[in-house]
Amino acid sequence: MSTAQSPQPTAAPALRLNNIALAVANLDAMVAWYVDVLGLAIAAKGHFDTVGADYAMLDGMGFRLELVSRPGTPKVAAKRTPPPEHLDETGWKALVLESGDLAGTTASFARLGVEIVWAQAQLTPTISSTMIRDPEGNLIHILGQPE
């Protein structure tokens, strides 16, 4: 009789991304910004009784963004450490998207008055990027081809 044990799994089985959650101070304003600026669509809105939070699920570009806010509670603003020093703080850094027309996307952000951290910076020989902030200071990094 063998005493060998079955190998233990090294990862949780059958996981897949459901959404990316972002806590916000002003849910309505942030929903409007993500719809108007990034073109996401409202898939659902509601309230999580368990945590006392209102939420909106926004869909688009192959992912779902969950904006969530607990009304009536004090908020701690997102740090606005400028890149590249933001990489010296551990934790999630940015929502990273990709554009087939980085110049056009960047021009659209400028027309909409979006806060642009940098525009069309060449990161590597094959990747350029524009980095923006949403109204509450969260970073959004748009990758594209160098021109």
Side-chain angles (χ1 to χ4, degrees):
M1 186 165 7
S2 171
T3 59
Q5 295 181 345
S6 300
Q8 294 295 315
T10 59
L15 292 177
R16 67 178 190 275
L17 180 65
N18 181 278
N19 69 64
I20 300 162
L22 177 62
V24 300
N26 186 328
L27 183 62
D28 291 336
M30 292 295 278
V31 166
W33 190 89
Y34 278 90
V35 168
D36 294 344
V37 173
L38 295 187
L40 299 180
I42 299 169
K45 289 181 94 172
H47 185 79
F48 294 128
D49 290 332
T50 305
V51 294
D54 295 330
Y55 71 88
M57 298 292 187
L58 307 178
D59 287 347
M61 298 178 277
F63 74 97
R64 175 171 276 188
L65 178 64
E66 173 188 340
L67 300 179
V68 62
S69 184
R70 291 183 33 169
T73 62
K75 305 297 185 265
V76 177
K79 282 191 165 188
R80 294 182 67 88
T81 306
E85 288 80 17
H86 73 300
L87 298 176
D88 298 334
E89 299 168 4
T90 60
W92 299 99
K93 294 294 112 188
L95 174 62
V96 182
L97 305 172
E98 187 173 354
S99 173
D101 178 11
L102 187 59
T105 299
T106 304
S108 173
F109 293 150
R111 281 191 306 276
L112 292 168
V114 171
E115 180 182 346
I116 297 175
V117 177
W118 68 59
Q120 296 175 257
Q122 191 159 346
L123 300 180
T124 72
T126 60
I127 301 172
S128 286
S129 77
T130 292
M131 187 174 284
I132 63 173
R133 288 191 188 271
D134 72 15
E136 293 188 5
N138 301 292
L139 290 170
I140 301 167
H141 199 176
I142 315 297
L143 303 179
Q145 298 292 316
E147 294 204 3

